[in-house]
Amino acid sequence: QQTPGRIAFVNHRLAEILGYPADQLVGKLLEEIVYLEDQNDVSQNAERTIAGKPAPTHFSFRVVTKDNKLKNLRAQTFQAPWHDSPSLIWYVYDISQTKLSLMQSDKHREMLCTLFDIVPISTAIVTWQEGRFMEANSSFFENTGYLRKDVIGHTVTETGFWPDPKERSRVMRIVGGNGVVKTYPIKFKMSTGKIHDCIFSAQLVQFNDVPCTLEIFIDVSQDTSSEVGLTDKESTLSEK
């Protein structure tokens, strides 16, 4: 980079990434290959580095290839003389595939979050060791009456959601041994303090690299009440 922003040398690998013969890149200005929206950041970074001012040594930017495709590059820059002129050495590598994978991963994560929230069943993500609520869906709060601020970040002990902590310990031992528990009958406490019957299922998962359980609660108290009522009626009829 003898003339400000002008390419003085490029190796064959970078030429291959950009789709040009190496000799066609020599003499080009950076702005001719850097994507328009990134040109200002790249120029400022180069100017500050040449001037010896604080500047990122690693940064990402987009370039336009010879066939007008966008590629994402990651660069590391060093100040160094080139033919007695202050210049920059750029070590550049293509991160387009990584960027694409991250974008796809983000879309996948967004889809899972949407599915998690629209499921009409009380669902929560709880840390394995502490029993701390990391996340819960809308149905969880609607069905239990708890407020988000009173649950997320708090432990099951603090919320009192499980009226019998020993019961949770027993269930978690099963999850620890099998990795999963399905349709286990438990009791849980509503925000009003009432105790409801519930069918509980849980699966060991990783959430933000933390071992957690994905927990599902199905309130069956109404069904239980109906059965009890029906039994009482049957008993009355039998007596008659």
Side-chain angles (χ1 to χ4, degrees):
Q1 185 181 324
Q2 292 171 291
T3 304
R6 194 176 295 280
I7 299 172
F9 172 81
V10 60
N11 66 6
H12 291 290
R13 175 57 187 141
L14 181 56
E16 182 182 313
I17 291 172
L18 297 174
Y20 287 90
D23 58 356
Q24 287 187 16
L25 286 168
V26 174
K28 279 185 177 292
L29 292 170
L30 282 176
E31 64 187 35
E32 294 180 66
I33 59 172
V34 175
Y35 184 57
L36 181 62
E37 292 182 6
D38 297 343
Q39 287 178 7
N40 189 51
D41 289 341
V42 171
S43 296
Q44 285 186 0
N45 187 73
E47 289 170 4
R48 292 185 66 84
T49 304
I50 285 287
K53 296 179 180 179
T57 56
H58 294 76
F59 58 96
S60 301
F61 62 98
R62 291 163 292 179
V63 294
V64 182
T65 64
K66 188 176 183 179
D67 56 359
N68 286 320
K69 292 182 179 179
L70 275 182
K71 285 200 172 184
N72 293 274
L73 302 186
R74 181 78 173 166
Q76 183 177 8
T77 59
F78 300 93
Q79 186 176 1
W82 178 267
H83 295 298
D84 299 323
S85 298
S87 303
L88 292 178
I89 295 176
W90 295 50
Y91 291 99
V92 181
Y93 49 100
D94 188 355
I95 60 169
S96 299
Q97 192 57 47
T98 304
K99 195 83 171 179
L100 178 61
S101 298
L102 288 172
M103 288 173 64
Q104 291 173 339
S105 177
D106 288 342
K107 288 181 181 178
H108 182 64
R109 189 178 295 109
E110 183 180 348
M111 180 186 70
L112 289 177
C113 288
T114 301
L115 289 172
F116 176 79
D117 199 53
I118 65 174
V119 170
I121 299 173
S122 301
T123 308
I125 298 175
V126 184
T127 60
W128 168 246
Q129 291 186 330
E130 282 187 292
R132 188 175 299 278
F133 283 93
M134 301 287 281
E135 191 53 83
N137 66 356
S138 300
S139 295
F140 178 92
F141 299 109
E142 290 170 5
N143 296 336
T144 64
Y146 286 94
L147 297 177
R148 184 178 180 84
K149 67 180 182 66
D150 296 327
V151 174
I152 304 303
H154 296 277
T155 66
V156 292
T157 302
E158 292 169 343
T159 59
F161 188 74
W162 290 69
D164 182 3
K166 291 180 180 179
E167 183 175 43
R168 176 177 170 80
S169 297
R170 285 194 297 271
V171 177
M172 287 301 107
R173 280 198 296 270
I174 297 172
V175 177
N178 302 330
V180 64
V181 65
K182 295 182 179 180
T183 59
Y184 192 99
I186 67 165
K187 304 281 187 182
F188 74 93
K189 187 169 70 175
M190 304 287 283
S191 63
T192 58
K194 290 184 178 180
I195 306 299
H196 281 209
D197 293 302
C198 171
I199 296 299
F200 176 79
S201 297
Q203 168 79 52
L204 281 174
V205 296
Q206 287 285 325
F207 183 76
N208 292 336
D209 297 324
V210 177
C212 295
T213 49
L214 177 64
E215 304 183 358
I216 296 174
F217 307 83
I218 301 176
D219 189 348
V220 294
S221 294
Q222 189 63 42
D223 298 335
T224 304
S225 298
S226 298
E227 290 175 4
V228 171
L230 182 60
T231 302
D232 289 342
K233 287 180 180 179
E234 290 175 344
S235 299
T236 303
L237 288 172
S238 297
E239 289 172 3
K240 289 181 180 180

